[in-house]
Amino acid sequence: DGGITQSPKYLFRKEGQNVTLSCEQNLNHDAMYWYRQDPGQGLRLIYYSQIVNDFQKGDIAEGYSVSREKKESFPLTVTSAQKNPTAFYLCASRTSGSGNTQYFGPGTRLTVL
Amino acid sequence: AQSVTQLGSHVSVSEGALVLLRCNYSSSVPPYLFWYVQYPNQGLQLLLKYTSAATLVKGINGFEAEFKKSETSFHLTKPSAHMSDAAEYFCAVSDSGGSNYKLTFGKGTLLTVNP
């Protein structure tokens, strides 16, 4: 059963702690993306990767880091430098044909206490 | 730079009524356009997409959208609303000629369906 998985669904952390969000896909897509969603703000791009061992900053990369060591995996670390980390985080991967469509995972809701 | 404007952050319709969600875009190159739906605490699900083929695009769940270049619009419609259509809807634009195909999203429209 192909798709994108994100874990955990809900995550709670204390202020000042780094936390890593998991994103895995078995769709054989080359490109992967991380978005942040806040109420009334739509989705904003954090980082994206078009190929293994390469990634680029999106519009709101400050306070976040990523790695892309495997095609299937694109973990996101929310560091203590991120001033307002509480949000809903969505991972996506993109087909290489047919309009280059992005498909999304179920999301992780991070709450920093 | 690309941008998307969704007119109306909240739209309320009666069950069985026409659904119209508005999306206007700005792009310096021919765009790819998408509509996604999001149910509470879930990811985004693709409804339909325009990729320079037919200007009237049919999607899942009875939704359709028409690309109008002269109006830079890509409005989403459904003839008869169902209770299960209640969700948040996002319009997005992508650069068709670029190499990274980043999506720029509108801020979303919350659709409420009244019985």
Side-chain angles (χ1 to χ4, degrees):
Chain A
D1 192 18
I4 303 170
T5 58
Q6 292 186 243
S7 61
K9 179 68 173 175
Y10 298 95
L11 188 56
F12 297 87
R13 281 295 182 268
K14 292 182 179 180
E15 191 172 344
Q17 290 182 333
N18 292 354
V19 60
T20 297
L21 281 59
S22 169
C23 178
E24 304 277 335
Q25 55 99 359
N26 61 5
L27 301 169
N28 200 34
H29 291 168
D30 286 318
M32 298 184 73
Y33 303 78
W34 273 106
Y35 294 90
R36 171 181 172 137
Q37 184 178 21
D38 297 283
Q41 295 297 314
L43 277 72
R44 293 180 290 168
L45 182 63
I46 304 172
Y47 268 99
Y48 63 102
S49 168
Q50 297 195 85
I51 197 167
V52 174
N53 293 322
D54 187 44
F55 48 83
Q56 289 78 39
K57 293 181 179 180
D59 300 318
I60 57 165
E62 184 176 353
Y64 300 97
S65 65
V66 294
S67 63
R68 187 85 187 278
E69 298 177 359
K70 299 187 300 182
K71 186 175 185 178
E72 302 80 15
S73 179
F74 191 40
L76 173 74
T77 297
V78 184
T79 75
S80 57
Q82 169 50 234
K83 298 304 180 186
N84 296 295
T86 295
F88 191 50
Y89 291 88
L90 288 158
C91 177
S93 66
R94 174 173 61 78
T95 61
S96 56
S98 187
N100 294 282
T101 303
Q102 291 188 25
Y103 294 93
F104 286 79
T108 292
R109 185 167 297 282
L110 172 64
T111 301
V112 176
L113 306 172
Chain B
Q2 302 167 106
S3 66
V4 173
T5 301
Q6 291 184 238
L7 294 175
S9 60
H10 189 190
V11 171
S12 181
V13 300
S14 299
E15 191 173 19
L18 171 72
V19 175
L20 171 61
L21 304 182
R22 300 178 186 274
C23 172
N24 288 89
Y25 71 91
S26 170
S27 178
S28 58
V29 297
Y32 290 160
L33 293 159
F34 304 83
W35 274 100
Y36 287 89
V37 61
Q38 185 181 36
Y39 298 98
N41 288 313
Q42 294 187 24
L44 274 66
Q45 179 183 4
L46 180 69
L47 274 179
L48 50 79
K49 60 185 179 184
Y50 166 77
T51 57
S52 73
T55 57
L56 182 62
V57 181
K58 294 186 183 298
I60 63 171
N61 301 339
F63 284 94
E64 64 181 38
E66 186 173 8
F67 172 68
K68 292 187 176 180
K69 184 179 178 180
S70 61
E71 299 178 7
T72 61
S73 69
F74 190 57
H75 302 331
L76 181 71
T77 60
K78 182 174 180 178
S80 177
H82 191 272
M83 296 296 290
S84 60
D85 295 326
E88 191 158 22
Y89 293 79
F90 291 94
C91 181
V93 62
S94 173
D95 177 4
S96 64
S99 61
N100 54 43
Y101 299 100
K102 292 190 293 181
L103 284 176
T104 299
F105 285 87
K107 294 188 175 183
T109 297
L110 181 64
L111 175 66
T112 301
V113 182
N114 304 306

